[in-house]
Structure formats: C-alpha cells, structure tokens
Amino acid sequence: MDRRTALARGGAAAVVAALPALPAVAAQAGSGDAAFKALLDRIFYDRLADDPEGATRLGLDTGARAAMRSRLADTSAAGLARRRARTRAERAMIASVDRARLSPTAQLDYDIVVYQLDGGVRAQRFGYGSGGGRYAPYLLSQLSGAYRDVPDFLDSQHRVRDAADADAYLARLAGFATQIDRETERQRADAAKGVFAPDYILDTTLRLLGAVRDQPAAATVPVVSFATKLKAAGLSAERAAKATAIVEGQVFPALDRQRALVTELRGKAVHDAGCWRLPDGEAYYAAAAEAATTVPLTGDEIHRMGLDQVAEISGRIDAILKRQGLTQGTVGARMIALNERPDQLFPNTDPGREQLLALLNTQVQAMYKRLPEQFAVIPKAPVEVRRVPPSIQAGAPGGYYQAATLDGSRPGIYFINLRDTFDRPKFGLATLSYHEAVPGHHMQVMTALESGDIPLLRRRGGFSGYSEGWALYTEQLADEMGMYEGDPLGQVGYLQSLLFRATRLVVDSGMHAKRWSREKATDYFIATTGIARGRSQGEIDRYTVWPGQACSYKIGHTKWVELRDAAKKKAGTGWDPREFHKLLALGAMPLAVLERVAAARFS
C-alpha cells in the first residue's frame, strides 16, 4: 500500500465504516464488474444527495428525490469538510477493489475514477479556494460566488410546473441568502490566510454585486423570472410577492454583508495577477495546470510550447491575409483592422444581437446536416443558442455550454456573451459555434450522458484537457470538412481561434509562473491575437481567477490531433473517421488514458 492510499484510508475510516459492506470480489477477471459498478453507482447517488443543483440540472430531482428541488448545496466550511472527507472515503473504497479482477471496460472506469479521486485528494493540501478538475483560489470573484450563480440557476434551471415547484423555488430563494452568508464567512477565513483576489478582480466583483443589489427587489432576476414562470404555469401571482419579500428581507441584507467584506478586502488588495503570491503559490499553479490539462508540465514548458505554437499559427494566418490583400503591419495589427471593418460587425443593439444569434443558429443547423459524415452516434438532445444573461455578462466568459437534462426536458444550451457585439466579429462566429455546440461540446458531453454503457458517476465527469481539447479539435475538423470553403475570412477566424488558445499558454504561464502583470499579459494578448481589448481584458481576468484552466485547450487539442493522425495513418485507405470518433462513447478521461485507449483500438 502506498503512502497516499494509507493516508486516504486513515482519514476516511469513520465514513467508510458507515457504509454497507461490498460483496466479495470473485477470483476470475471480469467477475468483479457487477460489484464495482454497484460501488460507482453508490458513489454517484451519495454525491447527488449533496448536490441539489446538480440533480436539477440532470433532471433527477423527481420521485424520491423531489425534495431536493427545495434545496441548495451546503457551501459552509462544514459542508466543504464533509465533501473532502467523502472524497477520501471514496478513494479508500476504490482501493479495496482488485483491478486485475475487472474486465477491460471496468478497468478503464477504475483508472479514470482513481485519477479523478487522487486529484481531489491532492487539491485538499492547499486549504483555500476550490480544487479538483478546475482550481479557483478565490471564493468571491467575477466568476465565482452564489451572488452570480444562483440567480442564473433559478432562472435557467428551476422549472415551475405546479404549486409544489413554485414553493420549492421560494425555499431555494431563501436558501440563496444562506449561501451568500456562508461564502462570505469562508472568504473571510481565506482572507486571514492572505487569499483574496487582486484589486482589479474585486473592482469587477463589486460592480456585479451592485448590479444584483442596487435595484428594487421586484426587479431582480429571481423575482422577475419567477413571476414569468408562475404566469406560464397558470399559478397565482401571490407567490411573486413572497419572492419579493424574501429578496428584500433576506437576500439583500446578505448581499450587503458580502459587499462590505469585498469592499474591505479591496482596500487591502494588491495588483499582482498571479497565484505565485498565495501560500505555496508555485505548487498551487503546478497542481492547477496539471488538474486542467491532465499532463504534468512546468510553467516554463507551457510557456515555451505557447511561444512555438503562436509563431507557427501566426505564419498560417499571415499567408491567408496576404492573399486577401491585407499586407501591412503585424498579424495582430491586421486582425485588429479586420475586426474594425463595418462589414464584420453587427450593430451593438438588441436587434443586432438578435441577428447575431440567428446567424449562430443557422451555422449550428448547417453543421448538424453534416454530422453523419463524421459520427456514427449523434446525441438525441438538441442544442439551442442563447445570450448570456445580461445580469452576469460583465464577468462571464465569452461563450460556454450547458448540458441537456437526462430526461429530455431541457435542451443543451450554448451561451454566447453579447455585452458588446464588437467583441464578436462575423468572421469568428462559425468556429465558436462548432466549439460550443456541434461537433464540439454538445457532441462530446451528450454522447457520454446519453450512454447506457458508461457508469453514471462518469457520464458527467469532466477533464478539461479532454473536453476543451476535443472542442478545439472539432474546430479544425470543421475546416477539414470544408465548412470554410469559399470563405477565407471564416478560415482566418478559425485560425485566430487556434492562435487565441496558443496565446493562452503564454499569458497564463506568464502571469502565474513568470510573474507578468495584468497589463503585460493584456498587451501581449491583444498584439498577438488582434482580439478586441474589451474581450481580451475579460480573458486575462478569467485566467487570473482560474489558473491553469486556459492551458487545457491547446494542450488537449494537440493530443487529439496527434491521436487522430496516428490512427488515420495506420488505417490507410480503410480510414473511417466515424470509427475514431466513437471514442466519445467511452466518456471523458485524462489524456494519458485516452492515448492508451486510442493506441489499443487503432494499433
């Protein structure tokens, strides 16, 4: 038994003792599969019981779990400690399984779950922020906190079909105030260790807190959304008045307490961008980058990889721009000029945003028609394009994907941030659609979620290097499919997207490993990619609070392309991309495991 396993077992002994004993594992390979699957399902449902929002997102808050619709997760220090103990207990339970007695399929599940649990245990060493698949050192920022997450969750996820759903909504709204206070106390405790966001992050956080707080309670997103849902369900508007009272009497005071803390921290904050300044900060970044990419690389290695790829991709863009008569200045300067051309911009108005969304939906549907050329398995759940809610757009990423429910009651959603249409020129929109919707995240996430062969515990499991690498790989796949044929500027948009992700390697490692300032990172980003300053600044601020995560895209993309090209070379004239893309049906996994699986399948 290695030291890590011994520690996991010792620290989790009390939790393990409370669980029913597992059936004995049979002697021959494969005969332990049923018991192992039962263990994974037990872990899944145990986690689900502590994750009411997750149950709602998956459509599993029904029947015996209907009471979960009235709850929000326990975000207190005690709740965090309980989840950490559970992770150690889960690792100890997995350690009791003899991998050699599992079938190859179950062994794959074993390896992936062990990797994930070991990562969760390792993340606990730092004692601040959150860790696991994505490290976030600051509990309160422009991208983290109940103040921004819960209103969006209630609006987009909590359905109101009857009186019971409506009462559950009110209970969750009251729980919103509790979550705010719990996070305020945890951030206060972290601040005592010197862990709170830089000044510029806290400035944005204060603006976002103000956007939630500084309006009449009846005009807030949770109340307006609730009133709309009540009307659609044919229910009395009386409950909307109760929601207003909860916001006024409970949520607003909690927000005031949180804003007071953030204001206090802003007075003490430094301007340094990197997590190197935090307790054990250099090790924190190394752990964060490895958790995101699933590849152990130093900050220097990430930096050099980024610089090499920036140079290679810039050369490809340069050649296309020259063929289009754009010859003066650096690649970045020419991209800026292209971004400013009136023919590449939608009006920065609500009608302009509607036109932009309509174009995105057209692009998604056009790709849907081509999917059978590349995929044998196509998800049943549809995907829709929606605007990021204006209430959170100031701090939200440029685009992101939200999975459909398992019961088919809600589609997958590709959100795009339209705070300023200047940040989204026409030539770059198609590649974003391919990344966030199809054949990108929607294909990858829903192929796994809809699979009856993958254990529930793994169906929604995520490894950023795998999933973001896949989405970036599909941008390249779209180009190879001819989606930009006759559209050279669209191809420039695709290559700019690759350049954008390569540049992330440079600036993320620059801030967190090489101690670059926010300003240096932003200036490099703009000069290299030609992306508008507003969007570029938002990107740099994102990397500030999610160290390492931005590195997962290009590192994952590089691995996916390498594996695809190797499989294609071995297949020769018998190459069928649909066979390679069946890898998605195995679910997300670390890149090292993916490499092993691909080698076995396509040797």
Side-chain angles (χ1 to χ4, degrees):
M1 181 189 302
D2 65 22
R3 180 173 177 272
R4 183 185 302 146
T5 302
L7 289 172
R9 286 183 174 177
V15 182
V16 174
L19 294 168
L22 289 174
V25 179
Q28 69 269 29
S31 61
D33 285 13
F36 182 58
K37 182 180 183 301
L39 171 60
L40 296 186
D41 285 348
R42 185 192 312 169
I43 291 173
F44 172 81
Y45 285 112
D46 182 44
R47 290 182 184 179
L48 192 71
D50 203 26
D51 184 14
E53 293 94 329
T56 294
R57 289 188 179 97
L58 289 171
L60 294 177
D61 57 351
T62 59
R65 289 184 291 275
M68 297 182 75
R69 288 203 297 273
S70 300
R71 294 169 40 214
L72 296 174
D74 180 359
T75 56
S76 67
L80 175 64
R82 185 178 65 252
R83 288 189 290 277
R84 286 176 170 175
R86 185 179 65 222
T87 298
R88 297 192 297 272
E90 291 166 352
R91 181 62 182 94
M93 288 188 288
I94 296 294
S96 71
V97 177
D98 186 349
R99 182 184 182 279
R101 297 176 180 177
L102 300 175
S103 68
T105 298
Q107 286 180 350
L108 177 63
D109 294 332
Y110 180 97
D111 293 346
I112 293 168
V113 172
V114 163
Y115 184 97
Q116 206 162 34
L117 289 171
D118 282 348
V121 171
R122 285 194 299 271
Q124 295 179 17
R125 62 170 278 200
F126 297 103
Y128 56 82
S130 61
R134 181 175 70 206
Y135 279 49
Y138 314 117
L139 286 169
L140 297 177
S141 74
Q142 84 282 18
L143 288 175
S144 57
Y147 80 91
R148 69 180 301 285
D149 295 337
V150 173
D152 182 42
F153 169 78
L154 290 173
D155 178 37
S156 64
Q157 301 291 324
H158 189 110
R159 289 170 289 173
V160 175
R161 297 155 295 191
D162 53 32
D165 287 345
D167 291 340
Y169 189 105
L170 290 171
R172 274 180 159 164
L173 191 55
F176 177 27
T178 302
Q179 274 203 347
I180 294 168
D181 278 333
R182 286 171 169 171
E183 289 181 350
T184 298
E185 290 311 305
R186 283 179 57 201
Q187 178 62 86
R188 192 183 304 278
D190 279 359
K193 305 171 187 175
V195 181
F196 53 97
D199 52 10
Y200 58 92
I201 295 295
L202 294 179
D203 285 340
T204 304
T205 305
L206 284 169
R207 287 199 301 274
L208 290 171
L209 280 166
V212 178
R213 173 62 181 88
D214 297 336
Q215 59 183 320
T220 59
V221 168
V223 176
V224 172
S225 176
F226 189 42
T228 301
K229 292 177 181 183
L230 289 171
K231 184 176 180 180
L235 297 172
S236 167
E238 179 183 352
R239 286 184 177 84
K242 293 182 179 179
T244 302
I246 291 171
V247 171
E248 186 70 49
Q250 299 177 49
V251 175
F252 277 178
L255 285 169
D256 288 340
R257 290 186 287 271
Q258 187 161 99
R259 184 156 61 171
L261 173 64
V262 176
T263 300
E264 175 189 335
L265 296 179
R266 175 61 182 84
K268 305 173 183 177
V270 298
H271 194 66
D272 297 320
C275 64
W276 53 265
R277 66 182 178 83
L278 304 178
D280 209 7
E282 291 183 1
Y284 187 93
Y285 180 61
E290 182 172 353
T293 64
T294 66
V295 176
L297 294 169
T298 67
D300 284 345
E301 288 171 329
I302 292 171
H303 202 75
R304 286 195 299 272
M305 180 186 298
L307 291 172
D308 289 345
Q309 294 201 10
V310 163
E312 188 271 330
I313 299 166
S314 294
R316 294 168 65 186
I317 295 174
D318 178 54
I320 297 176
L321 291 176
K322 284 178 177 175
R323 289 197 295 269
Q324 297 303 304
L326 300 170
T327 60
Q328 300 302 309
T330 65
V331 166
R334 281 175 279 167
M335 295 292 287
I336 291 172
L338 183 60
N339 194 150
E340 293 172 345
R341 278 177 27 179
D343 66 311
Q344 293 300 315
L345 298 174
F346 285 97
N348 195 34
T349 61
D350 285 341
R353 294 181 178 92
E354 289 300 321
Q355 293 173 35
L356 192 155
L357 289 170
L359 175 61
L360 294 178
N361 277 296
T362 299
Q363 291 166 343
V364 169
Q365 292 308 312
M367 176 55 83
Y368 252 111
K369 296 176 182 177
R370 300 284 303 276
L371 291 179
E373 300 171 19
Q374 297 287 331
F375 299 92
V377 179
I378 298 174
K380 298 181 181 68
V383 61
E384 295 180 2
V385 186
R386 298 183 188 175
R387 178 184 178 184
V388 169
S391 59
I392 63 171
Q393 66 184 9
Y400 54 91
Y401 171 76
Q402 191 175 88
T405 53
L406 285 171
D407 62 4
S409 59
R410 187 174 55 250
I413 304 170
Y414 148 33
F415 285 99
I416 183 168
N417 196 327
L418 298 181
R419 57 181 176 261
D420 188 342
T421 57
F422 183 76
D423 294 340
R424 291 297 171 192
K426 294 176 183 178
F427 67 87
L429 290 176
T431 198
L432 183 64
S433 296
Y434 304 144
H435 182 107
E436 299 293 348
V438 287
H441 285 315
H442 184 67
M443 283 291 298
Q444 179 255 310
V445 172
M446 294 312 302
T447 297
L449 268 179
E450 293 178 359
S451 170
D453 299 324
I454 304 174
L456 281 166
L457 182 64
R458 286 195 49 236
R459 288 192 210 174
R460 66 172 186 155
F463 296 93
S464 192
Y466 175 99
S467 59
E468 297 298 354
W470 166 263
L472 197 54
Y473 159 74
T474 63
E475 294 183 31
Q476 177 174 329
L477 183 64
D479 182 43
E480 294 168 349
M481 292 168 65
M483 300 303 291
Y484 300 114
E485 191 171 335
D487 181 16
L489 292 185
Q491 191 173 47
V492 167
Y494 147 63
L495 290 172
Q496 185 189 41
S497 179
L498 286 188
L499 180 62
F500 165 38
R501 273 46 178 250
T503 304
R504 281 177 163 177
L505 299 176
V506 178
V507 296
D508 192 270
S509 59
M511 289 191 295
H512 298 294
K514 293 183 172 297
R515 306 194 176 193
W516 283 18
S517 68
R518 180 202 195 199
E519 290 71 25
K520 180 175 180 178
T522 304
D523 289 345
Y524 177 87
F525 197 92
I526 295 170
T528 303
T529 67
I531 291 174
R533 178 166 288 276
R535 180 181 163 201
S536 293
Q537 191 66 81
E539 290 291 331
I540 295 302
D541 292 356
R542 167 183 166 179
Y543 314 152
T544 301
V545 302
W546 287 351
Q549 191 271 343
C551 300
S552 62
Y553 296 70
K554 201 64 181 65
I555 290 172
H557 164 257
T558 301
K559 179 56 66 176
W560 271 107
V561 173
E562 173 192 313
L563 297 178
R564 192 278 309 270
D565 288 351
K568 187 175 182 179
K569 182 178 180 180
K570 288 176 181 176
T573 57
W575 169 248
D576 183 350
R578 293 172 297 182
E579 289 301 312
F580 179 77
H581 294 147
K582 284 181 181 178
L583 285 171
L584 291 184
L586 300 177
M589 61 189 76
L591 292 177
V593 178
L594 175 65
E595 184 170 20
R596 191 182 74 215
V597 170
R601 283 202 164 198
F602 305 107
S603 60

